[in-house]
Structures are given as structure tokens and as C-alpha cells.
Amino acid sequence: MEFYTFNKNRGKKIPNFNSDFIMSRIIHTQKEAQIGCMYLEKNGIIGYHQATVPQLLLILNGEGYVRNGDDKYFKVLPGDAVFWEKDEWHETKSDNGLTAIVIESEELNPALFMSLKL
């Protein structure tokens, strides 16, 4: 399990086409990718299971806890990205709810675009 960040202060200001916004790049794949949005309500959980392909979880709002094969949970907040390798055991849960985007693909390398969370 690796932790990255895609928060605003890690982004780049984009002025192209008379634009004025900040872009935090996340991932690029050559292979097919599946992208979904997960909504965990109060006391919600994505149960303990093995990743069938590499998986990147992007926390958009709320807060929660993640773990891999260890029993230790790590707190996640908006702007955090959690990466699990194929076959890695993992779980996500939230006491008060969270919303996250999940990206799954045989080809994910978040280190190309995001910084490791310190």
C-alpha cells in the first residue's frame, strides 16, 4: 500500500486557452481502465478483500480509514490517494461517510504524476 496526494497545492496552474484553474494530474494508462465513484455512508465499509487488478482510491470528501494485509488502519482525508497492487489485501471504512473515485487497471503507476504523501 502506498499513499499519494493530489491536493490543490500539488497541482499546476493552467493558463492555456485563456483558462485559470489548477490541475492535479493523477494517472495515465495505455490499457483499459475502469473508473467508479464510491459513496460510503456513516459506518460504511468496503470489506476486506484482494485487489483483482492494481487499484487507486482517490478520497474526494469525508474521511475514513484504510488498511492492507496488516491490522493497522491509516486515516485518509480529501486529497489523499491510496494505491494497492494486484492481489494485495485491503479494506476501506468510514465512521461518518466519504466519497471516493476508484481507478482499476492492469497498468497503473501513480508515481509518474503524483507525489508520495509524507
Side-chain angles (χ1 to χ4, degrees), residues 37-59:
C37 188
M38 298 178 166
Y39 302 91
L40 279 72
E41 301 295 332
K42 184 175 181 175
N43 298 316
I45 188 167
I46 302 167
Y48 189 61
H49 66 286
Q50 278 183 293
T52 57
V53 295
Q55 180 176 315
L56 185 62
L57 184 73
L58 308 168
I59 309 300

Short mmCIF file of all heavy atoms in Angstrom, two decimals, residues 37-59:
data_model
loop_
_atom_site.label_atom_id
_atom_site.label_comp_id
_atom_site.label_asym_id
_atom_site.label_seq_id
_atom_site.Cartn_x
_atom_site.Cartn_y
_atom_site.Cartn_z
N CYS A 37 -17.22 5.74 -8.81
CA CYS A 37 -17.33 6.60 -7.65
C CYS A 37 -17.99 5.80 -6.53
O CYS A 37 -19.03 5.18 -6.74
CB CYS A 37 -18.15 7.84 -7.98
SG CYS A 37 -18.16 9.07 -6.67
N MET A 38 -17.38 5.81 -5.36
CA MET A 38 -17.89 5.05 -4.22
C MET A 38 -18.40 6.02 -3.16
O MET A 38 -17.73 7.01 -2.85
CB MET A 38 -16.79 4.18 -3.63
CG MET A 38 -16.29 3.14 -4.58
SD MET A 38 -14.97 2.20 -3.79
CE MET A 38 -14.85 0.84 -4.92
N TYR A 39 -19.57 5.74 -2.63
CA TYR A 39 -20.18 6.54 -1.58
C TYR A 39 -20.33 5.68 -0.34
O TYR A 39 -21.15 4.77 -0.33
CB TYR A 39 -21.55 7.05 -2.02
CG TYR A 39 -21.52 7.86 -3.28
CD1 TYR A 39 -21.69 7.25 -4.52
CD2 TYR A 39 -21.33 9.24 -3.24
CE1 TYR A 39 -21.67 8.00 -5.69
CE2 TYR A 39 -21.30 9.99 -4.40
CZ TYR A 39 -21.48 9.36 -5.62
OH TYR A 39 -21.46 10.09 -6.78
N LEU A 40 -19.54 5.93 0.67
CA LEU A 40 -19.68 5.23 1.94
C LEU A 40 -20.47 6.12 2.87
O LEU A 40 -20.09 7.27 3.11
CB LEU A 40 -18.32 4.91 2.56
CG LEU A 40 -17.59 3.68 2.02
CD1 LEU A 40 -17.05 3.91 0.64
CD2 LEU A 40 -16.50 3.26 2.97
N GLU A 41 -21.58 5.62 3.36
CA GLU A 41 -22.40 6.36 4.31
C GLU A 41 -21.78 6.20 5.71
O GLU A 41 -20.75 5.58 5.87
CB GLU A 41 -23.83 5.82 4.28
CG GLU A 41 -24.51 5.93 2.91
CD GLU A 41 -24.74 7.36 2.44
OE1 GLU A 41 -24.89 8.25 3.30
OE2 GLU A 41 -24.77 7.58 1.22
N LYS A 42 -22.45 6.70 6.72
CA LYS A 42 -22.00 6.56 8.10
C LYS A 42 -21.80 5.08 8.40
O LYS A 42 -22.65 4.25 8.09
CB LYS A 42 -23.04 7.16 9.05
CG LYS A 42 -22.62 7.17 10.48
CD LYS A 42 -23.64 7.88 11.35
CE LYS A 42 -23.15 7.87 12.80
NZ LYS A 42 -24.02 8.65 13.66
N ASN A 43 -20.64 4.75 8.97
CA ASN A 43 -20.24 3.37 9.28
C ASN A 43 -20.16 2.47 8.03
O ASN A 43 -20.29 1.26 8.13
CB ASN A 43 -21.16 2.75 10.33
CG ASN A 43 -21.10 3.50 11.63
OD1 ASN A 43 -20.02 3.86 12.10
ND2 ASN A 43 -22.25 3.78 12.21
N GLY A 44 -19.92 3.08 6.87
CA GLY A 44 -19.79 2.33 5.63
C GLY A 44 -18.46 1.60 5.55
O GLY A 44 -17.47 1.99 6.18
N ILE A 45 -18.45 0.53 4.74
CA ILE A 45 -17.22 -0.27 4.63
C ILE A 45 -17.15 -0.91 3.24
O ILE A 45 -18.16 -1.31 2.66
CB ILE A 45 -17.17 -1.36 5.73
CG1 ILE A 45 -15.82 -2.06 5.73
CG2 ILE A 45 -18.32 -2.32 5.61
CD1 ILE A 45 -15.56 -2.90 6.97
N ILE A 46 -15.95 -0.95 2.71
CA ILE A 46 -15.61 -1.77 1.55
C ILE A 46 -14.82 -2.91 2.16
O ILE A 46 -13.68 -2.72 2.59
CB ILE A 46 -14.78 -1.00 0.51
CG1 ILE A 46 -15.55 0.25 0.03
CG2 ILE A 46 -14.42 -1.90 -0.67
CD1 ILE A 46 -14.71 1.23 -0.76
N GLY A 47 -15.44 -4.06 2.25
CA GLY A 47 -14.91 -5.18 3.01
C GLY A 47 -13.52 -5.65 2.60
O GLY A 47 -13.07 -5.42 1.48
N TYR A 48 -12.88 -6.31 3.51
CA TYR A 48 -11.53 -6.83 3.35
C TYR A 48 -11.50 -7.86 2.22
O TYR A 48 -12.22 -8.87 2.27
CB TYR A 48 -11.10 -7.45 4.68
CG TYR A 48 -9.65 -7.84 4.78
CD1 TYR A 48 -8.65 -6.90 4.66
CD2 TYR A 48 -9.30 -9.16 5.01
CE1 TYR A 48 -7.31 -7.25 4.77
CE2 TYR A 48 -7.96 -9.52 5.13
CZ TYR A 48 -6.99 -8.56 5.01
OH TYR A 48 -5.67 -8.92 5.12
N HIS A 49 -10.70 -7.59 1.18
CA HIS A 49 -10.63 -8.46 0.02
C HIS A 49 -9.32 -8.21 -0.73
O HIS A 49 -8.61 -7.25 -0.46
CB HIS A 49 -11.82 -8.22 -0.93
CG HIS A 49 -11.81 -6.85 -1.56
ND1 HIS A 49 -12.14 -5.70 -0.86
CD2 HIS A 49 -11.48 -6.46 -2.81
CE1 HIS A 49 -12.03 -4.65 -1.68
NE2 HIS A 49 -11.63 -5.09 -2.85
N GLN A 50 -9.01 -9.10 -1.69
CA GLN A 50 -7.83 -8.94 -2.53
C GLN A 50 -8.17 -8.13 -3.76
O GLN A 50 -9.24 -8.31 -4.36
CB GLN A 50 -7.30 -10.31 -2.98
CG GLN A 50 -6.44 -11.00 -1.96
CD GLN A 50 -5.90 -12.30 -2.52
OE1 GLN A 50 -6.66 -13.22 -2.75
NE2 GLN A 50 -4.60 -12.36 -2.71
N ALA A 51 -7.26 -7.24 -4.15
CA ALA A 51 -7.44 -6.47 -5.38
C ALA A 51 -7.24 -7.40 -6.58
O ALA A 51 -6.24 -8.11 -6.66
CB ALA A 51 -6.43 -5.33 -5.43
N THR A 52 -8.19 -7.39 -7.49
CA THR A 52 -8.08 -8.25 -8.68
C THR A 52 -7.15 -7.66 -9.72
O THR A 52 -6.61 -8.38 -10.56
CB THR A 52 -9.46 -8.50 -9.30
OG1 THR A 52 -10.07 -7.25 -9.62
CG2 THR A 52 -10.36 -9.27 -8.34
N VAL A 53 -6.96 -6.34 -9.68
CA VAL A 53 -6.00 -5.61 -10.52
C VAL A 53 -5.45 -4.47 -9.66
O VAL A 53 -6.01 -4.16 -8.60
CB VAL A 53 -6.67 -5.02 -11.80
CG1 VAL A 53 -7.17 -6.11 -12.72
CG2 VAL A 53 -7.79 -4.06 -11.44
N PRO A 54 -4.37 -3.80 -10.07
CA PRO A 54 -3.92 -2.63 -9.33
C PRO A 54 -5.06 -1.62 -9.19
O PRO A 54 -5.88 -1.47 -10.11
CB PRO A 54 -2.78 -2.07 -10.19
CG PRO A 54 -2.25 -3.28 -10.90
CD PRO A 54 -3.47 -4.11 -11.20
N GLN A 55 -5.12 -0.98 -8.04
CA GLN A 55 -6.27 -0.13 -7.73
C GLN A 55 -5.81 1.16 -7.06
O GLN A 55 -4.95 1.14 -6.18
CB GLN A 55 -7.19 -0.89 -6.79
CG GLN A 55 -8.43 -0.16 -6.37
CD GLN A 55 -9.32 -1.05 -5.52
OE1 GLN A 55 -9.55 -2.20 -5.83
NE2 GLN A 55 -9.80 -0.51 -4.42
N LEU A 56 -6.39 2.28 -7.49
CA LEU A 56 -6.06 3.59 -6.93
C LEU A 56 -7.35 4.21 -6.39
O LEU A 56 -8.32 4.39 -7.12
CB LEU A 56 -5.46 4.48 -8.01
CG LEU A 56 -4.96 5.86 -7.59
CD1 LEU A 56 -3.83 5.74 -6.57
CD2 LEU A 56 -4.49 6.64 -8.82
N LEU A 57 -7.37 4.52 -5.10
CA LEU A 57 -8.53 5.11 -4.43
C LEU A 57 -8.24 6.57 -4.14
O LEU A 57 -7.25 6.89 -3.47
CB LEU A 57 -8.79 4.36 -3.11
CG LEU A 57 -10.04 4.78 -2.34
CD1 LEU A 57 -11.30 4.28 -3.05
CD2 LEU A 57 -9.99 4.23 -0.92
N LEU A 58 -9.08 7.47 -4.66
CA LEU A 58 -8.91 8.91 -4.51
C LEU A 58 -9.99 9.46 -3.59
O LEU A 58 -11.17 9.42 -3.94
CB LEU A 58 -9.01 9.60 -5.87
CG LEU A 58 -8.12 9.03 -6.98
CD1 LEU A 58 -8.53 9.59 -8.32
CD2 LEU A 58 -6.67 9.33 -6.69
N ILE A 59 -9.63 9.97 -2.44
CA ILE A 59 -10.59 10.48 -1.48
C ILE A 59 -11.00 11.90 -1.88
O ILE A 59 -10.15 12.80 -1.94
CB ILE A 59 -10.02 10.47 -0.04
CG1 ILE A 59 -9.44 9.09 0.32
CG2 ILE A 59 -11.09 10.92 0.95
CD1 ILE A 59 -10.43 7.94 0.26
#
